[in-house]
Amino acid sequence: ALLLLALPADANGVPAGVLVGYGAVLLAAAADGARRGLRARLPLGATARRLALPLAVVLLAAPAGATVAYGAAREEAREEAFQQSLLARIDTADALVKAREGADFAFSERDYRTALDTYERVALDHPDSRAAKLVPERMDAYFASVSTPYAQKKYCEAVDPLTHLRSLPDSVDKGVLGNRADGLDDSLARSLYECGAAEFGRGAIQSSYGSFTELASLFPTSEHIGKVERLVGDGLRKAAAPLGEGSASDPCATTEQVRKQRDDVAGLKGYALAGPVADAGRAVQKGAFSCGAKQFRDGLYSEAVTSMDRYAKDYPDSPQAAHARTISIAAQIADHEPAAGKKLPPATAPGGSRMPMVVSNDGKESVELLYTGPVTGKITLEACGTCENYGTFRDVVDPDAKPCGGPSSKYPKATLRLPAGTYHFLQRRAGGGFAVAGETKTSKASVEPGYTYTNCLYVTTVR
């Protein structure tokens, strides 16, 4: 009955209740045997009686030997169960790796790390187990699974998993990892380049520069550094070419795009791109001037002033800086008198004789006089300390007062020397910029050879 209950041997052994019951049966049998033996009167000879002791030894040895044999079988069963549990852990880790193969690494990393930790713990904690002997093969499968995007040439998707594999020597036991992480530098460098190049090709410039920046940071001597320099440099020169050639249909938008791209390229660390950046800078300079000129021709005078003032500020040593300032002046006049914007001011002043025009200020505030025609410019006249505005109150006090009627020496004045031609003038409070209506005055005058001209500015109070 005991054999039927105990066999085959289980890792947990025979239930304790069965053993206790069996022990009780043995004790009862022994007591009954002692009782019967002590009382028995057997008609046996001395020879037969001498067999009692060996028989007793056999009877004792049989269960004792069986107990030892059973214990050995139980330990074997216990070891087998333990081995099976380790193999089950390996199988569970294998299932995680298989399920995540080719999936987005951001969502798979946790499961991958769980599987990797299982392999490492089994190999280190139970090195002689059957499961531990499977770990090298499983580690090869792990690397193959994680690097699937690279094998499929999905380079952008390969960057994160390759970065993970490359970092394993810092966290995984060398005996478990082996040399599997060797050679990943080349794979990661290629992935960063190919990913950045693909992004660059479809216009995702910022994303591509992120990949290129990481490439230069991690692998400054990689062969892919030169490829990036050629790719980015040629791309910048291509983008800037319409500005340099003057063929951009929208020089304002193109200039801003190239300016931003140039600044981004200049910010790429670890690359020799000074040449393309300088070329793009020269193209941006030409584009900035073309932008302001086009705005002027299109009647966008306020925008033209902003563009040309910026040009003169950004490129003060440019041969076109002076021309930019004259276009800005003409645009300010044209903003109040559109007839002044029919054509760009000339880049160079005409030759020939010039006629003097003496401009005086009969006003108690300083004023600016802007003019454009054959030549364009601006002068500022200081305030007349003894002058008053003309208007109702002054007419009552001094009804005979006439604008600019005092002695010439009384007024602040300046002399312009103007070539013959038609001029547009804008008078405004000094420093007023784009003054509001009522604070400016426009006028038009013709300058002819052989004459001297005077122009006196004054302020009339609104009645």
Side-chain angles (χ1 to χ4, degrees), residues 301-345:
Y301 300 118
S302 176
E303 291 86 343
V305 172
T306 300
S307 296
M308 288 309 187
D309 286 350
R310 179 180 179 181
Y311 183 93
K313 179 181 178 181
D314 291 346
Y315 310 105
D317 299 326
S318 167
Q320 290 182 298
H323 192 200
R325 285 189 284 268
T326 61
I327 294 176
S328 173
I329 292 171
Q332 293 174 60
I333 299 172
D335 192 57
H336 294 273
E337 179 52 64
K342 289 184 177 180
K343 61 180 180 179
L344 281 175

Side-chain angles (χ1 to χ4, degrees), residues 95-453:
L96 286 176
V97 172
K98 186 65 177 177
R100 291 305 182 184
E101 184 173 311
D104 187 343
F105 187 74
F107 297 102
S108 305
E109 182 177 6
R110 183 175 180 179
D111 286 346
Y112 272 130
R113 289 190 179 276
T114 298
L116 180 62
D117 184 66
T118 298
Y119 296 145
E120 184 178 22
R121 292 272 54 86
V122 168
L124 295 179
D125 297 343
H126 310 285
D128 298 327
S129 66
R130 296 203 303 270
K133 292 179 173 56
L134 298 176
V135 168
E137 178 185 344
R138 297 307 194 270
M139 288 295 293
D140 291 338
Y142 179 88
F143 268 71
S145 177
V146 174
S147 58
T148 295
Y150 182 77
Q152 296 175 342
K153 297 184 179 181
K154 298 178 180 179
Y155 296 109
C156 290
E157 296 177 21
V159 170
D160 287 343
L162 290 177
T163 300
H164 161 72
L165 293 177
R166 184 172 174 268
S167 71
L168 293 184
D170 297 331
S171 58
V172 178
D173 182 82
K174 175 65 176 176
V176 176
L177 184 65
N179 61 356
R180 293 177 179 82
D182 296 348
L184 288 177
D185 285 1
D186 290 340
S187 299
L188 181 55
R190 181 182 180 186
S191 295
L192 287 169
Y193 168 73
E194 296 290 354
C195 177
E199 296 288 315
F200 188 88
R202 62 188 184 90
I205 303 300
Q206 293 302 316
S207 177
S208 70
Y209 286 175
S211 296
F212 294 153
T213 298
E214 187 173 359
L215 171 63
S217 174
L218 295 176
F219 312 108
T221 60
S222 169
E223 63 176 341
H224 298 292
I225 296 294
K227 297 179 182 178
V228 173
E229 291 171 350
R230 290 189 291 275
L231 178 68
V232 173
D234 291 347
L236 182 57
R237 287 191 174 101
K238 181 179 179 180
L243 296 179
E245 298 166 357
S247 60
S249 59
D250 187 349
C252 296
T254 305
T255 297
E256 288 306 311
Q257 292 169 1
V258 175
R259 179 184 281 117
K260 185 178 186 308
Q261 189 172 343
R262 176 204 61 185
D263 294 344
D264 290 340
V265 172
L268 277 177
K269 305 299 182 184
Y271 296 96
L273 292 166
V277 169
D279 292 343
R282 287 186 285 271
V284 166
Q285 179 176 341
K286 293 184 68 174
F289 187 89
S290 298
C291 171
K294 185 176 187 303
Q295 289 169 333
F296 185 95
R297 293 189 185 97
D298 292 344
L300 304 174
Y301 300 118
S302 176
E303 291 86 343
V305 172
T306 300
S307 296
M308 288 309 187
D309 286 350
R310 179 180 179 181
Y311 183 93
K313 179 181 178 181
D314 291 346
Y315 310 105
D317 299 326
S318 167
Q320 290 182 298
H323 192 200
R325 285 189 284 268
T326 61
I327 294 176
S328 173
I329 292 171
Q332 293 174 60
I333 299 172
D335 192 57
H336 294 273
E337 179 52 64
K342 289 184 177 180
K343 61 180 180 179
L344 281 175
T348 57
S353 61
R354 297 197 173 205
M355 278 55 72
M357 175 179 287
V358 180
V359 184
S360 304
N361 182 20
D362 182 9
K364 60 181 182 180
E365 294 183 5
S366 58
V367 294
E368 290 178 341
L369 181 66
L370 286 66
Y371 57 92
T372 184
V375 294
T376 301
K378 176 176 70 173
I379 59 172
T380 300
L381 296 171
E382 298 297 326
C384 175
T386 60
C387 297
E388 295 289 340
N389 292 344
Y390 294 89
T392 304
F393 180 74
R394 184 167 182 179
D395 292 345
V396 172
V397 175
D398 186 5
D400 295 327
K402 300 296 182 183
C404 302
S408 175
S409 60
K410 171 182 177 180
Y411 306 119
K413 60 176 62 64
T415 300
L416 303 177
R417 298 194 176 276
L418 306 175
T422 300
Y423 289 85
H424 292 275
F425 296 92
L426 172 66
Q427 170 190 337
R428 70 186 180 194
R429 182 182 303 166
F434 281 101
V436 299
E439 294 184 350
T440 64
K441 181 179 185 301
T442 58
S443 59
K444 180 179 177 182
S446 294
V447 174
E448 299 180 4
Y451 288 87
T452 297
Y453 295 86

Side-chain angles (χ1 to χ4, degrees), residues 6-44:
L7 296 178
D10 183 81
N12 296 322
V14 179
V18 174
L19 294 176
V20 171
Y22 182 61
V25 171
L26 290 179
L27 288 175
D32 182 65
R35 179 183 65 81
R36 290 173 179 272
L38 291 174
R39 296 178 179 180
R41 293 293 183 265
L42 299 178
L44 298 176

